[in-house]
Amino acid sequence: MKTICLYFEIHQIIHLKRYRFFDIGTDHYYYDDYENERSISYIAENSYMPALSAIQEMIEQNGNYFRVAFSLSGVGMEQLEVHAPQVIEKLQELNETGCVEFLTEPYSHGLAGLANEESFKRDIEKMSDKIEQYFGKRPTVMRNSSLIYTDEIGAQVAALGYKGMLTEGAKHVLGWKSPHYVYNCNMAPNLKLLLRDVNLSDDISLRFNNSAWDGYPLFADTYINNIAACPDTEQVVNIFMELSALGIAQPLSSNILEFLKALPACAKNVGLEFLTPSEVIDKYPSVGAIDVPDTLSWVDEERDCSVWLGNQMQREAFNKLYSVADRLLIAKDPRLLQDWDYLQASNNFRFMTTKPSNANIDRGIYDGPFDAFTNYMNILGDFISRVRTLYGGIDNEELENMLTTITNQGKQIETQNKEIQRLQAKLAKYEGGKGEAKKSSTKKTTVADTKSKK
């Protein structure tokens, strides 16, 4: 039976305000509160709530047959907590059905995986903590910001204990291979990879309402029949997109939600099943490793990271931001750490792109890429001066020693916790044995007493 794996991501950027050079050193608040509230409220009303309600209806009508997965960025969740808590409440209701899986991703929706391994690790684990707090279960599958992946990133994710990862089924990586199989990381064979079907995902998220598209109008039975027509040997069709595709990229007036709600019945009619990413990973063995030495993502035709790091301005901003990454690993200031999360968000670098294919992107308050770069660098200048003021007396060698000490202490605590768990299990087993022995002794005494009375 062929499987459909359906996944949606929820992320919203924290919008930066207009920040002048003369604000550096005097104004440490960098955000446009009005635009943040306006944008998240608009998306929640016109996309998130209608889409999640439709998915809830699909689960109620189809029971355990229909299954779906979500991931959320931490910066996006923080906005939902303040401006649209009903979205989180709806996600919690969906979680209670048992038909939904929550994945983890970097808290900041940043690019730390390309710059600093320890920051990347902290970003992922911070998000996993938040998912566990809200939904009661720690994620076992990870997706990086914009599905960014390399062999080294896969190895880092595997080292954190995750069993699977989502990425792009790009043609230049797969070659003649199909994205409809489970693969594994070539540097960490235990980490299984689910590859997005580019065409089938973009049919919904990008082309659904395009009347000039050859496939317009797209009906649910046609869509499902295209999946069913794939070779019988193929395992899983991964359909991944942003949740905002339902209502924003594809307006509600296009009947996108009616199309979505019709998918389960059509899939059941042709013998397809729905599974979440972890269920797919548990069900199907890997057919082999894929090699991804260079960065892979789900953005633009190139499917790489050039949209964020393709020009000198972007690389300069990126390198300057992560030049203080190690110092933030020992920071305890909540405000500073919150700013660090918000400034890492990949959207900040995308606003600086000069790629012709992104000429018409919505740059918000910015007139163009240079304006975005100037504003971000002004903010970054103030932020870095705050970091250096806080840790100005620490030279690089001393910082390295501190980080080594912290790392060693963390490993020592982890080892001690494992030893405590081992001893607790041993004690429980010992006490259980004593209890059984006591029961046996009591039983023998009772039998002896009975014989004595006779």
Side-chain angles (χ1 to χ4, degrees), residues 91-103:
L91 287 167
Q92 289 174 323
E93 290 177 18
L94 289 172
N95 182 55
E96 291 173 0
T97 66
C99 297
V100 173
E101 179 180 4
F102 288 91
L103 315 184

Side-chain angles (χ1 to χ4, degrees), residues 114 142 144-155 157 165-168 173 184-188 191-193 195 290-298 303 305:
L114 304 175
M142 189 259 177
N144 201 2
S145 310
S146 299
L147 298 189
I148 292 173
Y149 178 81
T150 65
D151 295 330
E152 290 186 358
I153 287 175
V157 170
M165 190 170 178
L166 276 52
T167 190
E168 181 77 338
V173 170
N184 64 267
C185 172
N186 72 345
M187 293 177 63
L191 183 79
K192 291 185 178 180
L193 301 176
L195 309 185
I290 58 169
D291 300 324
V292 190
D294 300 317
T295 52
L296 173 65
S297 80
W298 71 359
R303 311 291 176 185
C305 290

Side-chain angles (χ1 to χ4, degrees), residues 111-139:
L111 306 173
L114 304 175
N116 188 288
E117 184 174 344
E118 284 301 315
S119 291
F120 185 52
K121 174 182 176 181
R122 174 183 283 190
D123 223 6
I124 295 170
E125 294 298 83
K126 183 177 180 180
M127 193 67 242
S128 290
D129 290 342
K130 198 172 186 73
I131 292 295
E132 186 174 22
Q133 173 192 347
Y134 272 91
F135 304 109
K137 185 177 180 181
R138 197 165 189 83

Side-chain angles (χ1 to χ4, degrees), residues 19-257:
Y19 194 90
R20 309 293 181 183
F21 175 79
F22 297 104
D23 293 326
I24 299 174
T26 61
D27 182 3
H28 304 318
Y29 191 77
Y30 312 134
Y31 313 109
D32 186 338
D33 290 335
Y34 171 80
E35 181 57 25
N36 285 324
E37 181 176 1
R38 186 206 66 78
S39 60
I40 194 68
S41 299
Y42 177 82
I43 292 171
E45 180 180 349
N46 292 279
S47 172
Y48 292 167
M49 288 305 294
L52 293 175
S53 296
I55 291 171
Q56 186 176 36
E57 183 180 333
M58 293 163 72
I59 292 173
E60 290 171 351
Q61 291 179 350
N62 295 279
N64 289 332
Y65 172 74
F66 179 71
R67 310 182 75 74
V68 65
F70 297 94
S71 77
L72 302 90
S73 71
V75 296
M77 280 193 76
E78 288 187 17
Q79 289 196 76
L80 292 173
E81 288 168 341
V82 175
H83 302 302
Q86 69 272 21
V87 175
I88 295 179
E89 292 171 4
K90 180 63 71 174
L91 287 167
Q92 289 174 323
E93 290 177 18
L94 289 172
N95 182 55
E96 291 173 0
T97 66
C99 297
V100 173
E101 179 180 4
F102 288 91
L103 315 184
T104 196
E105 64 172 83
Y107 191 96
S108 67
H109 199 271
L111 306 173
L114 304 175
N116 188 288
E117 184 174 344
E118 284 301 315
S119 291
F120 185 52
K121 174 182 176 181
R122 174 183 283 190
D123 223 6
I124 295 170
E125 294 298 83
K126 183 177 180 180
M127 193 67 242
S128 290
D129 290 342
K130 198 172 186 73
I131 292 295
E132 186 174 22
Q133 173 192 347
Y134 272 91
F135 304 109
K137 185 177 180 181
R138 197 165 189 83
T140 58
V141 178
M142 189 259 177
R143 64 90 66 187
N144 201 2
S145 310
S146 299
L147 298 189
I148 292 173
Y149 178 81
T150 65
D151 295 330
E152 290 186 358
I153 287 175
Q156 293 173 31
V157 170
L160 295 177
Y162 295 92
K163 65 182 183 181
M165 190 170 178
L166 276 52
T167 190
E168 181 77 338
K171 197 69 177 173
H172 71 274
V173 170
L174 286 172
W176 58 268
K177 298 176 183 176
S178 168
H180 300 160
Y181 293 94
V182 175
Y183 294 90
N184 64 267
C185 172
N186 72 345
M187 293 177 63
N190 290 334
L191 183 79
K192 291 185 178 180
L193 301 176
L194 302 185
L195 309 185
R196 187 177 85 114
D197 185 301
V198 177
N199 290 328
L200 287 169
S201 299
D202 289 352
D203 282 350
I204 298 176
S205 62
L206 298 183
R207 293 183 282 269
F208 184 81
N209 195 43
N210 181 6
S211 59
W213 172 44
D214 291 342
Y216 180 88
L218 180 63
F219 297 103
D221 56 350
T222 304
Y223 186 80
I224 292 296
N225 288 337
N226 289 337
I227 295 175
C230 295
D232 292 339
T233 56
E234 295 187 345
Q235 300 169 333
V236 57
V237 175
N238 299 304
I239 302 169
F240 304 159
M241 69 192 77
E242 295 176 348
L243 186 62
S244 60
L246 309 179
I248 303 299
Q250 308 303 320
L252 298 178
S253 59
S254 69
N255 293 322
I256 184 69
L257 296 185

